[in-house]
Amino acid sequence: MKASDLMVRCLEAEGVEYIFGIPGEENIDFMDSLTRSSIQFVLARHEQGAAFMADMYGRLTGKPGVCLATLGPGATNLITGVANAHLDRSPLIAITGQADLTRLHKESHQHIDTIQLFKGITKYNQQILSAYTIPEIIRKAFDLATNESPGAVHIQLPVDVARHEVISSPLLIGKQAKIKPDSSSLQAAAKLIMEAKRPIVLAGNGVIRNRAWEEVRKLVEKANLPMVNSFMAKGILPFDHPRNLFTIGGKPNTDTLRPLIEADLVIAIGFDLVEYDPVLWNKEQSRKVLNIHTIQAETDAHFPVELDLVGDLQDTLKALLELVDQRPEPIGYNQIRASRVEELQTIPSSEQELPRKVMWTLSEKLSKDSIVISDVGLHKVWVSRWYQPKAPGQTIIYNGLASMGASLPGALASRLAKPNSPVIVVSGDGGFLMNSQELETAKRLGLAFTIIIFNNQSYGLIEKHQRAANLAVTQIAFTNPDFNLFAQSFGIAYRCAKNAEEFSQVLTEALESGELNLLEVVLMGEEV
């Protein structure tokens, strides 16, 4: 068989269902091999969109999403999506083509050293030089993409290697024993929790990645611990849970920071430092940290780790649960919760009325299994603070690389990965137009979801930062197409809302339609 046939067989053995990408001259043999495969190729309209699709598939399934591009410009177009997966720790495999090995030593058409380009944004980055190494490389790639801290992997397949004849087969996928902290470490962790005067749980993205939200909830309830979550870990506790002190992150106001600032022990569970810089909530380095994660904590002066509990999150938390007792009522935190609930349910200004009511409407109307994907911009702050999901693992907020333009491609992959879950995109006009070409992909595949676009004709989050720094507001305004005509050109449904009542009505219509919908929310001067 050809080496490309072997590579596809290895991908099948790893359970790959979809490959997102755009073919090129240097991977036509691989594409030919896919025609004899069970793997479905999803033809995207831009390689960046394909990488974002693979990223989202990995987030939702825990299995690596796979994307494909040719050499040169195809490979470079993948980089933003691969970097997004890298910093958000999503399992992803990027496969790129390359020129013949015989011309890699010199300047030649479309050849650049993409191995060097992917070096800083991948866990494993390998060129295939011999067809016989393919089974080992693929097995290692999937192992590294998923184990411990997940992430992105890059595999490069030169065109002449893809055509080599080879006799080989995929490697066995063995089971790995889960890592669990030793008994003395667990007892030390329990002692820290029980002896702290004002402990608080900080739940991060790792809780979602490891599906450990039930174990976190049980620990919170048994030990009577208050809890905050990062942007990427929304929904672990329901809105009305008495220990839920809600979402923290970004550069919030003092009231939002208080839950962490008033603690003497931060129990960080699955928390990645990329989610929320510790200098913002532990500037004076006075709060000790109990770090519970699948990997050792990153070294940071403002994240002073008293104890690292490294291992499988579910098993670690189950073991810790047996060692803690109920603590006294957390003094002061009930008042903090009451003030935060009041803030979440209050409209402090007319400028915030429509954004807040949109988030409240989404919180009220969306079903428990709905997947909400926020793009990046000012609306991300609104989703993070004001939207209240009914279940964990259903709210996707990009907060590592935090790349604009990821939400629409992500929605497409969400519908493939979770076909029974409604999908809602929340985007700004800036981010939406960065990958709006993937509307054609979604329409071609017959995928139905709803895209909410906040139209304020500006990069609103940048304006907010300019004003906060007392700088000139400059170079953030632009014009938009007529989104009604834009939607018509793709053959998709369009709806528009200029106030909260209209939004509630058109959202219901969109959700009930079973169609691919574009829902425009017109904003004028909104700011938070």
Side-chain angles (χ1 to χ4, degrees):
M1 73 179 98
K2 289 193 301 185
S4 59
D5 293 330
L6 174 60
M7 190 164 179
V8 168
R9 285 185 59 191
C10 290
L11 294 173
E12 288 177 325
E14 297 289 345
V16 174
E17 298 176 291
Y18 300 98
I19 295 178
F20 307 93
I22 297 178
E25 181 181 348
E26 277 69 25
N27 53 30
I28 57 175
D29 286 276
F30 182 86
M31 294 300 299
D32 177 67
S33 297
L34 280 178
T35 65
R36 297 178 290 279
S37 165
S38 61
I39 299 171
Q40 180 179 342
F41 186 79
V42 176
L43 178 64
R45 298 305 304 271
H46 194 285
E47 290 89 352
Q48 184 183 106
F52 284 139
M53 293 172 200
D55 174 343
M56 182 60 69
Y57 181 91
R59 288 172 195 258
L60 293 178
T61 66
K63 302 185 298 183
V66 183
C67 53
L68 175 77
T70 188
L71 81 173
T76 59
N77 282 346
L78 285 179
I79 285 176
T80 298
V82 173
N84 205 63
H86 172 67
L87 282 186
D88 278 2
R89 297 184 176 174
S90 301
L92 176 147
I93 308 287
I95 301 172
T96 62
Q98 185 52 286
D100 290 356
L101 293 176
T102 55
R103 64 182 177 98
L104 298 189
H105 65 287
K106 61 184 179 181
E107 180 181 301
S108 58
H109 179 63
Q110 289 193 317
H111 166 240
I112 55 174
D113 189 346
T114 52
I115 292 295
Q116 284 297 317
L117 283 177
F118 281 92
K119 185 177 181 180
I121 56 172
T122 53
K123 293 180 68 179
Y124 179 50
N125 181 30
Q126 183 63 52
Q127 182 184 57
I128 299 175
L129 297 174
S130 167
Y132 285 94
T133 64
I134 287 174
E136 291 179 345
I137 290 173
I138 296 296
R139 180 78 284 276
K140 182 175 181 179
F142 276 78
D143 186 37
L144 290 174
T146 54
N147 282 345
E148 296 178 355
S149 176
V153 163
H154 171 231
I155 301 171
Q156 185 190 89
L157 180 64
V159 61
D160 51 344
V161 176
R163 293 169 180 165
H164 287 176
E165 289 297 316
V166 62
I167 300 174
S168 188
S169 59
L171 297 185
L172 174 71
I173 303 173
K175 292 184 178 181
Q176 289 194 342
K178 293 182 179 179
I179 299 172
K180 189 164 71 173
D182 60 84
S183 176
S184 62
S185 296
L186 287 164
Q187 290 173 358
K191 184 179 180 182
L192 277 174
I193 293 172
M194 297 307 298
E195 292 183 352
K197 293 180 179 179
R198 295 178 64 81
I200 187 170
V201 170
L202 168 57
N205 189 25
V207 175
I208 303 301
R209 289 196 303 266
N210 292 272
R211 279 65 173 167
W213 45 74
E214 187 66 17
E215 289 75 17
V216 171
R217 181 188 62 78
K218 288 179 179 178
L219 179 65
V220 163
E221 292 176 348
K222 182 174 181 182
N224 208 15
L225 297 167
M227 191 198 89
V228 292
N229 59 264
S230 68
F231 285 3
M232 301 175 76
K234 291 178 71 70
I236 292 172
L237 296 180
F239 180 84
D240 59 357
H241 196 288
R243 294 294 164 256
N244 186 1
L245 300 186
F246 307 107
T247 302
I248 56 161
K251 296 183 179 179
N253 55 39
T254 304
D255 287 342
T256 304
L257 280 171
R258 276 176 57 200
L260 287 177
I261 284 179
E262 297 196 6
D264 63 340
L265 176 67
V266 176
I267 306 163
I269 307 178
F271 174 71
D272 304 326
L273 267 64
V274 72
E275 298 183 77
Y276 188 27
D277 193 337
V279 73
L280 296 174
W281 50 268
N282 200 14
K283 186 175 182 179
E284 66 280 13
Q285 306 172 31
S286 62
R287 285 156 208 89
K288 294 186 294 187
V289 174
L290 167 59
N291 188 59
I292 306 175
H293 212 317
T294 56
I295 56 172
Q296 194 170 9
E298 173 68 83
T299 301
D300 188 295
H302 301 280
F303 197 71
V305 176
E306 186 84 1
L307 178 63
D308 242 335
L309 280 187
V310 178
D312 177 81
L313 277 189
Q314 291 188 20
D315 286 351
T316 300
L317 292 170
K318 286 176 182 176
L320 187 59
L321 196 62
E322 299 298 318
L323 300 174
V324 297
D325 297 313
Q326 189 171 56
R327 292 175 43 85
E329 188 75 5
I331 299 172
Y333 283 113
N334 288 339
Q335 289 86 344
I336 292 175
R337 173 175 163 80
S339 67
R340 299 210 70 194
V341 168
E342 182 180 3
E343 192 278 330
L344 290 170
Q345 297 177 336
T346 300
I347 299 174
S349 65
S350 59
E351 289 79 13
Q352 290 190 25
E353 181 175 1
L354 184 52
R356 285 192 182 238
K357 286 187 175 180
V358 166
M359 294 303 136
W360 296 351
T361 301
L362 290 174
S363 302
E364 176 187 354
K365 289 199 170 189
L366 296 185
S367 60
K368 185 177 182 179
D369 61 341
S370 295
I371 297 171
V372 172
I373 306 171
S374 174
D375 210 88
V376 174
L378 186 55
H379 62 279
K380 185 179 89 168
V381 179
W382 302 339
V383 174
S384 301
R385 293 184 186 174
W386 303 330
Y387 171 65
Q388 303 299 326
K390 298 180 176 70
Q394 302 292 112
T395 308
I396 308 299
I397 297 175
Y398 303 100
N399 208 38
L401 186 71
S403 174
M404 296 175 70
S407 60
L408 172 53
L412 189 154
S414 298
R415 291 295 291 150
L416 295 175
K418 303 286 184 181
N420 297 321
S421 294
V423 175
I424 298 87
V425 166
V426 181
S427 181
D429 42 8
F432 169 73
L433 286 170
M434 288 186 179
N435 274 310
S436 58
Q437 73 283 345
E438 301 305 340
L439 282 175
E440 188 279 328
T441 309
K443 180 69 175 178
R444 173 170 22 98
L445 295 177
L447 301 175
F449 51 89
T450 296
I451 307 152
I452 299 168
I453 304 173
F454 285 105
N455 182 358
N456 65 351
Q457 300 188 31
S458 72
Y459 293 115
L461 186 59
I462 305 305
E463 178 181 355
K464 176 178 171 61
H465 288 308
Q466 288 174 337
R467 293 187 185 279
N470 294 316
L471 299 174
V473 175
T474 181
Q475 302 302 324
I476 50 92
F478 48 77
T479 60
N480 284 320
D482 183 319
F483 283 118
N484 187 5
L485 296 177
F486 189 85
Q488 287 183 41
S489 71
F490 284 94
I492 68 175
Y494 168 84
R495 293 173 172 83
C496 181
K498 296 181 180 179
N499 56 55
E501 292 72 23
E502 289 179 354
F503 177 77
S504 180
Q505 177 182 340
V506 296
L507 177 66
T508 299
E509 293 173 359
L511 295 175
E512 292 177 350
S513 70
E515 297 180 311
L516 181 57
N517 289 274
L518 193 154
L519 201 167
E520 178 184 2
V521 179
V522 179
L523 298 179
M524 296 300 294
E526 275 70 12
E527 193 177 321
V528 296

